[in-house]
Amino acid sequence: MKITKICCIGAGYVGGPTMAVIAKKNPNIEVTIVDINEERIAAWNDKDVSKLPIYEPGLAEIVEETRGKNLFFSTAIDEAIAAAEMIFISVNTPTKTYGKGKGMAADLKYVELCARNIAEVAKTDKIVVEKSTLPVRTAQAIKSILHNTGNGVNFSILSNPEFLAEGTAIQDLLNPDRVLIGGESEDAIESLANIYGSWVPQDRILRTNVWSSELSKLTANAFLAQRISSINAISELCEHTEANVNEVAKAIGMDSRIGPKFLNASIGFGGSCFQKDILNLVYIARSYGLNAVADYWEQVILLNDHQKRRFSDNLISTLYNTVSGKKIAMLGWAFKKDTNDTRESAAIYVADHLLNEQANIAVYDPKVTSKKVQADLNYLNTRTAEENNTLVKSYNDPYETSKDAHAIAIMTEWDEFKTYDWQKIYDNMKKPAFIFDGRNILDKTEMESIGFEYSSIGK
Ligand code: NAD
Ligand code: UGA
């Protein structure tokens, strides 16, 4: 099928950047991104591209270049579905917070709503592309909804999971290691392969059956997260043996079978996907009665929880076993650098733990608003919004944030943290002044020569 119009349902961290790049590389295809969230669509349409709802290096430039030409953001979902030959489902698939599978399974209600919406509106044949990360066999459910509630038109379903990482989304999209397309209909697969083919070499476009494609996405995330939990497990052993986790990571990473990437020890992985996808994998394994498989992958999550808890426990015990009434400065709130996304960020859990010990928390993050910090803490439901508002303050610069603080906790690896006047920060803190470097980004010798009591992960 020749594709002239694409509709993408879901204008989030995946839908927005992915469609912007597809539009840039396919000027003859009209791409419309739709969402039920009016505020988000309005922000995507803001004339001032620094106000886009998502921060990603390079994204604003591409949106500026394509928006209003062949890239459109809209809340008119039905119109966009009706007009398009190809529809991407790029909505969120969070962990269920209710009912069967609560806390483990992926909540597919948004995906199902999309399928029903497409079935209702479609009057011509459509290719429906699963872009969201979905449990293996979801295509079966989508197919059943489309065929049983549709208007008799033909639907082809493809799985085309996204592998971009936030913070590097545009680079990852422009130069992907691979693009994965799973499907039954060769014609549909080739229609999508042609779109990617305008910038991705054919040998990097992998075609598989739909189930392999769905399962590969969960597997890729599980393997990546497993590397972080593996190095984080070793980081704790390093702290007890005077081994240095950076040196260990370098030594093992030079084995080409292991490779150097994704071996940075940290306060633990965050983000909207690793935890959710592994929990989902565990849930799927259990639902097939595969308990050994489920236990194996669950350990990746348990170790990650342990790493976050260990960081805050260490901070509290180092501060003479009490942080009550003490100001703790947190530098970084996003789950990694170069993004404004805070979903499942380790900072939220570390802050919550310190708040349980009655600490006062000061936060500075270059891209995260005070409103977001409060919303993240309120979502945990540990204390009232009023209490969070009193105990946690956000600042616009690191010097104010750390003034009179007893300790600094580095939560995100923002590059700018390395460029600060650390002497000035030290001078304005309570003594002894502690730094807990959850990202191993500062130089221990330099910090100690200023006078800081410095500790980091795995050293
Ligand atoms: P997101 O929450 O940023 O965006 C999802 C958007 O979908 C929201 O704006 C929401 O309003 C909209 N939406 C929900 N239901 C809708 C409906 N019925 N009609 C119209 N719009 C609707 O989520 P995201 O981070 O973009 O993730 C989307 C999917 O992609 C998830 O399955 C995720 O696992 C997967 N994924 C995410 C990343 C990532 O780095 N964030 C990477 C790869 C894959
Ligand atoms: C991850 C995957 O890397 C993407 O390939 C995938 O598409 C995406 O999940 C998804 O499915 O959503 P993302 O979560 O955006 O991407 O970011 P990552 O770079 O993977 O970082 C995840 C977390 O792990 C961050 O908190 C990061 O700081 C942490 N991390 C990463 C480490 O602690 N150490 C490392 O060596 C690497």
Side-chain angles (χ1 to χ4, degrees):
M1 191 191 288
K2 172 112 185 76
I3 307 298
T4 61
K5 287 194 175 72
I6 287 175
C7 164
C8 172
I9 311 180
Y13 282 87
V14 167
T18 310
M19 291 303 129
V21 169
I22 286 184
K24 178 183 161 72
K25 296 293 184 182
N26 293 275
N28 297 326
I29 299 181
E30 190 179 305
V31 180
T32 305
I33 313 181
V34 293
D35 205 294
I36 39 173
N37 184 335
E38 287 174 16
E39 206 185 317
R40 213 170 211 189
I41 290 296
W44 278 113
N45 281 322
D46 202 305
K47 278 208 183 72
D48 177 358
V49 285
S50 72
K51 299 218 175 91
L52 296 183
I54 284 162
Y55 173 72
E56 271 298 331
L59 173 64
E61 290 81 354
I62 297 182
V63 169
E64 204 155 37
E65 181 188 329
T66 49
R67 195 176 55 186
K69 291 198 185 101
N70 68 326
L71 179 68
F72 302 91
F73 297 90
S74 162
T75 50
I77 301 178
D78 291 358
E79 284 88 330
I81 292 174
E85 297 103 12
M86 182 176 274
I87 299 155
F88 287 79
I89 299 180
S90 197
V91 298
N92 38 333
T93 50
T95 304
K96 267 186 95 175
T97 53
Y98 55 91
K100 191 164 175 256
K102 177 179 172 181
M104 298 293 290
D107 191 342
L108 298 180
K109 72 177 169 206
Y110 306 107
V111 171
E112 176 164 345
L113 275 172
C114 288
R116 290 188 183 277
N117 202 343
I118 295 168
E120 199 184 298
V121 169
K123 300 271 164 11
T124 53
D125 292 356
K126 311 277 179 203
I127 298 173
V128 176
V129 185
E130 300 176 346
K131 183 52 109 180
S132 298
T133 302
L134 297 168
V136 55
R137 304 294 306 175
T138 305
Q140 191 61 42
I142 294 182
K143 191 173 176 182
S144 161
I145 291 168
L146 289 174
H147 288 287
N148 289 307
T149 59
N151 301 309
V153 299
N154 242 326
F155 294 104
S156 293
I157 295 145
L158 298 177
S159 160
N160 171 226
E162 185 47 60
F163 295 103
L164 68 80
E166 290 178 32
T168 52
I170 298 299
Q171 275 319 310
D172 295 342
L173 286 162
L174 289 173
N175 190 21
D177 286 348
R178 78 311 206 179
V179 165
L180 179 55
I181 305 176
E184 255 176 39
S185 150
E186 217 155 279
D187 186 43
I189 292 175
E190 291 318 309
S191 298
L192 183 54
N194 273 338
I195 292 170
Y196 285 109
S198 43
W199 81 98
V200 180
Q202 278 303 323
D203 60 0
R204 284 201 227 160
I205 303 179
L206 201 61
R207 293 136 169 106
T208 66
N209 80 31
V210 72
W211 319 120
S212 305
S213 174
E214 287 179 335
L215 186 56
S216 297
K217 175 62 198 178
L218 290 184
T219 308
N221 275 356
F223 271 59
L224 288 168
Q226 183 190 42
R227 278 174 75 91
I228 304 170
S229 279
S230 298
I231 199 69
N232 282 346
I234 298 301
S235 76
E236 190 170 10
L237 192 53
C238 286
E239 288 165 25
H240 288 270
T241 55
E242 288 182 49
N244 175 327
V245 75
N246 286 7
E247 291 176 358
V248 174
K250 188 166 183 197
I252 63 160
M254 282 174 77
D255 184 326
S256 60
R257 292 167 303 177
I258 298 174
K261 293 181 182 164
F262 247 69
L263 287 177
N264 289 326
S266 67
I267 28 172
F269 58 76
S272 60
C273 294
F274 280 168
Q275 172 163 309
K276 146 177 100 69
D277 292 349
I278 298 173
L279 287 171
N280 188 214
L281 191 65
V282 171
Y283 184 75
I284 294 168
R286 280 211 208 288
S287 72
Y288 285 100
L290 310 175
N291 287 326
V293 178
D295 291 347
Y296 177 77
W297 287 109
E298 192 163 30
Q299 198 55 41
V300 174
I301 301 285
L302 297 178
L303 200 287
N304 197 49
D305 289 340
H306 170 68
Q307 189 77 350
K308 289 181 271 188
R309 177 51 84 137
R310 183 168 98 68
F311 181 84
S312 41
D313 281 346
N314 177 37
L315 191 153
I316 295 161
S317 66
T318 309
L319 264 63
Y320 318 107
N321 288 315
T322 176
V323 288
S324 178
K326 292 180 180 167
K327 179 176 176 183
I328 311 293
M330 289 180 105
L331 295 187
W333 191 263
F335 82 100
K336 63 183 286 199
K337 73 173 180 177
D338 291 337
T339 178
N340 60 347
D341 195 351
T342 64
R343 287 177 287 182
E344 290 301 329
S345 178
I348 304 170
Y349 296 96
V350 170
D352 187 52
H353 191 190
L354 297 176
L355 289 169
N356 283 344
E357 296 294 326
Q358 303 180 341
N360 290 317
I361 294 188
V363 180
Y364 168 71
D365 186 291
K367 292 285 173 195
V368 178
T369 60
S370 158
K371 200 171 146 200
K372 189 83 194 70
V373 171
Q374 295 294 327
D376 287 338
L377 289 167
N378 293 343
Y379 187 75
L380 293 180
N381 241 338
T382 323
R383 58 194 71 71
T384 65
E386 226 173 23
E387 285 170 313
N388 285 328
N389 206 18
T390 314
L391 294 170
V392 183
K393 299 275 176 235
S394 294
Y395 295 82
N396 291 326
D397 91 277
Y399 302 97
E400 274 301 306
T401 314
S402 51
K403 191 168 181 300
D404 294 326
H406 288 256
I408 289 176
I410 308 255
M411 307 310 294
T412 311
E413 70 281 22
W414 287 102
D415 290 334
E416 66 168 60
F417 295 173
K418 295 181 211 157
T419 66
Y420 293 165
D421 180 347
W422 284 97
Q423 182 68 55
K424 185 173 159 192
I425 290 178
Y426 175 80
D427 291 344
N428 287 324
M429 284 175 69
K430 298 268 189 218
K431 306 294 171 332
F434 294 91
I435 295 183
F436 298 87
D437 187 350
R439 294 294 183 163
N440 290 355
I441 56 170
L442 299 175
D443 186 70
K444 181 179 165 71
T445 319
E446 191 191 329
M447 291 301 132
E448 286 180 345
S449 74
I450 291 173
F452 283 111
E453 298 286 329
Y454 175 87
S455 62
S456 62
I457 303 276
K459 287 194 222 164

